[in-house]
Amino acid sequence: MKYLMMVQGTQADYDAMTGNPSPGSPAWTEQDMQTMFAFMEEINDELAANGELVDGQGLAEPRRTRLVSLGEDGRPVVKDDPYGRTEQLLAGYWVLDCASLDRVTEIAARVARCPQPEGAPEYPVVIRPIMEDGAELSTP
């Protein structure tokens, strides 16, 4: 079964990664960044080697987000940078093809241990099964 595993962050977290701290998001050093990248690369290499990695990407900072919806007149309404500094958004993802939910949970627990500076916010790693044929829909 395929799963989407996601990590979250805020604009303040991205700013902290470039050395600009804010309350709750301490500044990252170059060494902090290299440690985090090495940690993630090790996980990605292992997942690729055992055939579980379908795709995985980090995403650009939230201030580069764009939302498109329809107005009452049916015309597109575009909002750039729609979130404040503290709003959590998707920061990165993996598409994994794992034998079980237990296996992807094991991977998510490993990702949750990603090194970061003391005092940095911790967000849960989100796992969602990917529907392949709609049969996965459940009724309450």
Side-chain angles (χ1 to χ4, degrees), residues 67-78:
L67 296 180
V68 179
S69 59
L70 296 179
E72 289 182 22
D73 61 359
R75 297 177 69 185
V77 175
V78 177

Side-chain angles (χ1 to χ4, degrees), residues 17-91:
M17 288 180 174
T18 63
N20 298 308
S22 63
S25 291
W28 289 56
T29 65
E30 182 63 30
Q31 182 59 48
D32 292 330
M33 293 296 292
Q34 294 306 319
T35 300
M36 187 241 336
F37 289 140
F39 179 87
M40 291 300 186
E41 184 176 10
E42 181 181 327
I43 290 173
N44 291 342
D45 289 348
E46 180 183 307
L47 294 170
N50 65 25
E52 292 175 308
L53 180 65
V54 175
D55 186 30
Q57 303 291 327
L59 300 176
E61 61 188 322
R63 76 170 46 108
R64 294 176 55 192
T65 299
R66 174 173 278 184
L67 296 180
V68 179
S69 59
L70 296 179
E72 289 182 22
D73 61 359
R75 297 177 69 185
V77 175
V78 177
K79 293 182 184 177
D80 291 321
D81 187 20
Y83 300 105
R85 294 178 51 86
T86 60
E87 195 73 33
Q88 293 176 24
L89 290 173
L90 183 62

Side-chain angles (χ1 to χ4, degrees), residues 127-140:
I127 300 168
R128 305 254 329 248
I130 295 175
M131 294 191 313
E132 296 192 34
D133 62 10
E136 294 87 353
L137 288 175
S138 61
T139 56

Side-chain angles (χ1 to χ4, degrees), residues 9-23:
T10 65
Q11 183 60 52
D13 299 329
Y14 279 77
D15 292 343
M17 288 180 174
T18 63
N20 298 308
S22 63

